[in-house]
Amino acid sequence: MDRYPPIAEHGMVGDLQTAALISSAGTVDWWCTPRFDAPSVFASLLDSERGGHCRLAVDLPASEGLTVRQLYLSDTAILTGSC
């Protein structure tokens, strides 16, 4: 896992009250709850050692040429990942 993945490697999910930034590796790198102005629960986007994160991913066998990408389902705010 990259300590500080580029911001372009993140997708955003939220519910109009809060939002989370999820990396293409499946880690929640930023999330503040219950509102946008609340303290963050996960903040590894800013500090990879003490910021904390949650990883939601499957373990895939190491394979050359494997590319993971994120995209939103058409006309929704649903973030999906594919290999």
Side-chain angles (χ1 to χ4, degrees):
M1 183 174 86
D2 189 3
R3 285 184 58 188
Y4 295 105
I7 195 69
E9 291 291 316
H10 290 81
M12 184 175 76
V13 295
D15 64 359
L16 301 178
Q17 295 293 316
T18 188
L21 291 176
I22 303 172
S23 76
S24 59
T27 59
V28 180
D29 289 339
W30 176 264
W31 182 40
C32 54
T33 190
R35 297 173 20 154
F36 288 112
D37 60 351
S40 63
V41 175
F42 302 117
S44 65
L45 189 68
L46 302 176
D47 186 342
S48 68
E49 293 179 20
R50 297 184 315 153
H53 69 273
C54 177
R55 184 165 189 237
L56 306 168
V58 297
D59 286 329
L60 297 172
S63 172
E64 290 187 33
L66 182 66
T67 302
V68 177
R69 62 188 182 124
Q70 293 178 325
L71 56 110
Y72 293 95
L73 291 180
S74 182
D75 298 324
T76 73
I78 299 172
L79 183 67
T80 65
S82 65
C83 297

